[in-house]
């Protein structure tokens, strides 16, 4: 068969939530640009974005304790929590714009209101939680948060967790009702349906094998059609690599200087899912605990009400694990294959530094069902083994790089955009809070890769995302208006207290969002 050779404006690699978000933004900002998407699997949102492969928490730092740290003077640093909350507000605004513009429908198919709680045990942790509550509840983004160490009140909030609890150890929780459960798999599929309606060509079962620079500065992408066996070559002026854990090997193939001295550390995960509807009905919240000493931040235990396939589910986890694969559907040679002459020292330094983490991950892999049940019983004292099954979650590849603060081979937690100096190619690496902040991250891609167009695009961006370029912490009135408008558009509860809205202002924001 002869090789296919085609030109296009934009190529998106990977049909996950990041490509879906970038594609949707570009279709509003540059509607005449031709976009092609290549996905190795048969459907959109099958890897990291899939609803069974992530926690579905609309990460807004309402309950995740690792986003607030205690400083040496005993005060609580809430800067990261504020940053992540503001980033999630951007996602809410963009989704609301798409709903209000009739570009997507039925937001309840991907987002549901759910209280977010933090739950801790032990005197030291209770003292930390109280200080955290005091620091956050004075901030407009976290208004409405409640704190209690009263077992009677906690029984009201989390009956399943309190049932059968006999320990005299101090316990406490914070609760905020404006949290969400997001089905990122459903959202990804909805966005790709929308892109298809906008004439975006999405090629499933197409695996990208290589990426090379052409003489005119474009990028040539070599693609294997897994159905016909044919090799295709597609060139574009701009390429985005949004292939989850698979992004790093493709970024390395580009050969751009920015791709050097970067490695990846794969972490797998398991969730326990409740198969007893009576138990599922007793819990209605996302409840995050504190990570055990030595555990990585992505292993914070949490008991989550989820809405998957329009059905209420209950999941507990994640239990971390180790697999050398960079994708759930990847190869056992992924990790070895990612070690190159330019990153070998970085990778070796990380290996030496992270011996404790590696040991922890191996211990997690070897846990028996009963050992996992013991961890679950710290949350649900009366949990029965027969009520819980195991689900294998998605692979996460944490970025390893040399940093000024951490030195050689520092393991990074979070998401990172790596782009060429001329903005012609960008890749997304890393993990949580990932999907929740997809709109913020893709705006960062646009700023890095299309700086010369941002001025012309700014008015449209602000129409879609009214708080773009504005600090919501500093503009409390705007935050209340936006929160209320997005809650209305997305069918969420607007639980912020003491809101003083001018109906005109709210209408104005609703028209924008």
């Amino acid at each position: 068969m002869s090789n296919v050779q085609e030109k296009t404006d934009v190529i998106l690699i990977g049909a996950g939530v990041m490509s879906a978000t970038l594609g949707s933004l570009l279709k509003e900002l540059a509607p005449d640009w031709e976009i092609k998407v290549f996905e190795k699997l048969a459907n959109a949102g099958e890897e990291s974005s899939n609803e069974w492969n992530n926690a579905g928490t609309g990460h807004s730092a309402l309950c995740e304790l690792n986003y607030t740290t205690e400083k040496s003077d005993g005060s609580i640093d809430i800067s990261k929590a504020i940053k992540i909350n503001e980033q999630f507000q951007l996602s809410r605004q963009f989704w609301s714009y798409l709903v209000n513009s009739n570009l997507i429908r039925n937001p309840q198919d991907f987002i549901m209101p759910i209280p977010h709680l933090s739950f801790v045990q032990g005197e030291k942790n209770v003292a930390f939680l109280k200080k955290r509550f005091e620091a956050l509840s004075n901030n407009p983004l976290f208004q409405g948060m409640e704190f209690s160490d009263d077992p009677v009140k906690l029984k009201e909030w989390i009956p399943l967790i309190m049932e059968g609890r006999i320990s005299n150890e101090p316990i406490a929780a914070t609760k905020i009702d404006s949290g969400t459960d997001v089905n990122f798999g459903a959202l990804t599929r909805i966005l790709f349906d929308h892109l298809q309606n906008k004439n975006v060509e999405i090629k499933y079962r197409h695996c990208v094998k290589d990426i090379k620079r052409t003489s005119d500065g474009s990028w040539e992408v070599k693609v294997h059609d897994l159905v016909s066996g044919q090799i295709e070559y597609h060139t574009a002026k701009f390429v985005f690599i949004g292939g989850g854990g698979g992004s790093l090997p493709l970024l390395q193939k580009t050969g751009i200087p920015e791709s050097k001295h970067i490695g990846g550390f794969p972490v797998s995960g398991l969730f326990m899912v409740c198969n007893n509807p009576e138990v599922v009905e007793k819990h209605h919240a996302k409840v995050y605990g504190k990570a055990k000493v030595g555990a990585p931040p992505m292993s914070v235990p949490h008991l989550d009400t989820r809405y998957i396939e329009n059905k209420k589910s209950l999941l507990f986890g994640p239990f971390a694990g180790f697999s050398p694969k960079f994708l759930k559907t990847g190869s056992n040679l992924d990790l070895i294959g990612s070690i190159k002459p330019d990153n070998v020292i970085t990778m070796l330094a990380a290996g030496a530094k992270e011996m404790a983490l590696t040991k922890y991950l191996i211990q997690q892999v070897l846990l028996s069902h009963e050992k996992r049940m013991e961890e679950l019983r710290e949350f649900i004292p009366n949990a029965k083994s027969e009520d819980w099954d195991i689900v294998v979650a998605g692979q996460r590849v944490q970025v390893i790089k040399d940093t000024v603060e951490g030195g050689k081979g520092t393991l990074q937690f979070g998401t990172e955009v790596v782009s060429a100096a001329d903005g012609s190619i960008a890749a997304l690496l890393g993990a949580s809070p990932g999907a929740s902040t997809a709109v913020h991250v893709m705006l960062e891609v646009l700023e890095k890769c299309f700086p010369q167009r941002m001025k012309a695009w700014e008015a449209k961006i602000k129409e879609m995302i009214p708080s773009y370029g504005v600090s919501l912490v500093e503009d409390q009135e705007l935050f209340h208006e936006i929160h209320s408008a997005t809650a209305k558009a997305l069918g969420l509860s607007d639980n912020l207290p003491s809101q003083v809205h001018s109906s005109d202002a709210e209408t104005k924001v609703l028209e924008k969002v």
Side-chain angles (χ1 to χ4, degrees):
M1 271 189 202
S2 63
N3 289 337
V4 173
Q5 292 199 303
E6 290 181 15
K7 276 190 173 180
T8 189
D9 294 312
V10 172
I11 288 173
L12 306 176
I13 300 172
V17 73
M18 294 296 176
S19 293
T21 302
L22 183 58
S24 299
L25 283 165
L26 283 173
K27 268 294 155 193
E28 297 303 298
L29 297 170
D32 54 334
W33 286 8
E34 193 186 334
I35 300 175
K36 277 191 179 148
V37 184
F38 297 106
E39 168 55 54
K40 183 177 78 168
L41 303 179
N43 297 295
E46 287 294 286
E47 269 284 353
S48 302
S49 305
N50 187 271
E51 50 268 47
W52 290 107
N53 288 345
N54 61 64
T57 304
H59 280 296
S60 36
L62 301 176
C63 59
E64 307 92 322
L65 297 173
N66 53 313
Y67 295 147
T68 44
T69 51
E70 193 165 1
K71 295 196 275 198
S72 53
D73 65 358
S75 64
I76 304 293
D77 181 357
I78 63 167
S79 56
K80 190 173 183 183
I82 290 168
K83 197 165 95 181
I84 287 168
N85 190 300
E86 287 200 317
Q87 290 173 4
F88 185 62
Q89 302 302 330
L90 301 181
S91 294
R92 281 179 59 135
Q93 289 168 65
F94 183 56
W95 301 336
S96 299
Y97 165 81
L98 294 172
V99 170
N100 289 331
S101 308
N102 291 318
L103 295 170
I104 64 173
R105 290 177 175 77
N106 307 327
Q108 69 278 3
D109 288 347
F110 71 87
I111 189 165
M112 296 289 274
I114 195 91
H116 281 195
L117 286 92
S118 305
F119 172 72
V120 297
Q121 305 172 66
E123 209 170 309
K124 199 176 160 201
N125 289 336
V126 169
F128 165 76
L129 189 66
K130 189 156 196 187
K131 278 199 286 191
R132 178 185 184 271
F133 163 72
E134 284 160 1
L136 287 177
S137 55
N138 289 325
N139 188 288
L141 302 182
F142 299 90
Q143 276 179 359
M145 184 179 277
E146 300 172 72
F147 171 89
S148 183
D149 53 8
D150 174 10
V152 176
K153 177 53 92 179
L154 297 179
K155 247 177 217 164
E156 228 177 84
W157 289 354
I158 38 175
L160 186 64
I161 287 174
M162 294 303 290
E163 206 176 82
R165 193 168 285 279
I166 48 176
S167 165
N168 293 323
E169 197 177 30
I171 54 172
T174 56
K175 173 175 178 279
I176 188 162
D177 289 327
S178 54
T180 52
D181 175 59
V182 185
N183 183 327
F184 288 109
L187 172 64
T188 302
R189 293 187 290 272
I190 288 166
L191 290 177
F192 274 110
D193 286 347
H194 153 62
L195 287 173
Q196 270 184 314
N197 292 335
K198 292 270 187 178
N199 300 318
V200 170
E201 193 178 347
I202 304 161
K203 295 193 161 210
Y204 295 111
R205 307 289 290 131
H206 278 66
C207 181
V208 174
K209 291 291 187 189
D210 204 1
I211 306 174
K212 281 198 175 123
R213 198 104 203 213
T214 62
S215 55
D216 70 351
S218 299
W219 289 96
E220 181 185 75
V221 176
K222 180 184 178 184
V223 185
H224 181 203
D225 180 337
L226 299 174
V227 177
S228 70
Q230 197 169 11
I231 295 295
E232 303 174 1
Y233 293 90
H234 297 262
T235 55
K237 299 180 201 80
F238 174 69
V239 174
F240 172 67
I241 307 170
S247 291
L248 178 62
L250 290 175
L251 174 64
Q252 290 174 329
K253 285 179 190 295
T254 67
I256 60 170
E258 295 79 4
S259 70
K260 309 292 183 193
H261 310 289
I262 295 176
F265 186 85
V267 178
S268 61
L270 300 171
F271 277 99
M272 298 181 84
V273 61
C274 184
N275 57 38
N276 184 337
E278 283 175 36
V279 177
V280 174
E281 276 313 308
K282 284 182 182 174
H283 185 78
H284 186 74
K286 284 186 180 280
V287 182
Y288 273 59
K290 222 167 184 293
K292 284 194 160 59
V293 177
M298 80 289 274
S299 296
V300 171
H302 44 97
L303 181 67
D304 292 351
T305 295
R306 298 283 308 275
Y307 291 93
I308 297 175
E309 289 149 18
N310 295 319
K311 185 181 154 210
K312 192 175 171 182
S313 307
L314 185 57
L315 275 75
F316 176 75
F319 293 92
F322 179 78
S323 158
K325 293 180 180 184
F326 276 11
L327 289 165
K328 205 170 166 178
T329 55
S331 153
N332 285 320
L333 298 173
D334 287 345
L335 178 57
I336 293 290
S338 74
I339 299 170
K340 308 288 180 195
D342 65 78
N343 72 0
V344 67
I345 291 168
T346 301
M347 292 291 279
L348 287 171
K353 267 187 198 171
E354 302 295 344
M355 288 301 283
L357 174 60
T358 308
K359 188 180 165 197
Y360 169 81
L361 295 176
I362 291 165
Q363 284 168 344
Q364 287 270 297
V365 172
L366 300 174
L367 284 180
S368 64
H369 184 68
E370 208 35 58
K371 281 281 179 206
R372 290 193 185 103
M373 286 305 300
E374 280 174 29
E375 292 201 22
L376 171 59
R377 286 186 191 113
E378 289 184 26
F379 268 70
I380 308 176
N382 290 345
K384 294 188 177 112
S385 285
E386 62 269 22
D387 289 344
W388 295 83
D389 300 317
I390 285 288
V391 173
V392 179
Q395 283 288 107
R396 299 285 178 269
V397 178
Q398 305 298 148
V399 176
I400 295 172
K401 60 187 226 182
D402 306 334
T403 67
V404 176
E405 310 80 38
K408 281 242 172 260
T410 303
L411 194 60
Q412 306 285 103
F413 293 101
T415 34
E416 194 155 331
V417 174
V418 178
S419 57
D422 66 354
S424 61
I425 194 161
L428 186 80
L429 306 175
S432 189
S436 299
T437 60
V439 173
H440 161 78
V441 178
M442 291 305 103
L443 286 169
E444 190 189 324
V445 168
L446 294 179
E447 287 161 3
K448 280 185 163 189
C449 298
F450 303 100
Q452 72 287 5
R453 294 181 182 268
M454 291 308 286
K455 201 166 174 45
W457 285 350
E458 192 175 344
K460 183 66 182 178
I461 292 174
K462 285 195 166 171
E463 181 195 330
M464 299 187 288
I465 304 157
S467 78
Y468 176 68
V470 177
S471 163
L472 287 174
V473 170
E474 286 163 26
D475 193 336
Q476 196 167 340
E477 196 183 336
L478 180 66
F479 170 63
H480 280 312
E481 287 163 9
I482 282 173
H483 199 278
S484 187
T486 57
K488 194 168 179 179
L490 298 172
L492 303 171
S493 43
D494 185 17
N495 290 316
L496 295 179
S498 63
Q499 292 188 53
V500 186
H501 293 300
S502 112
S503 56
D504 288 349
E506 191 178 323
T507 308
K508 218 154 64 188
V509 173
L510 258 175
E511 281 167 4
K512 277 186 182 175
V513 184

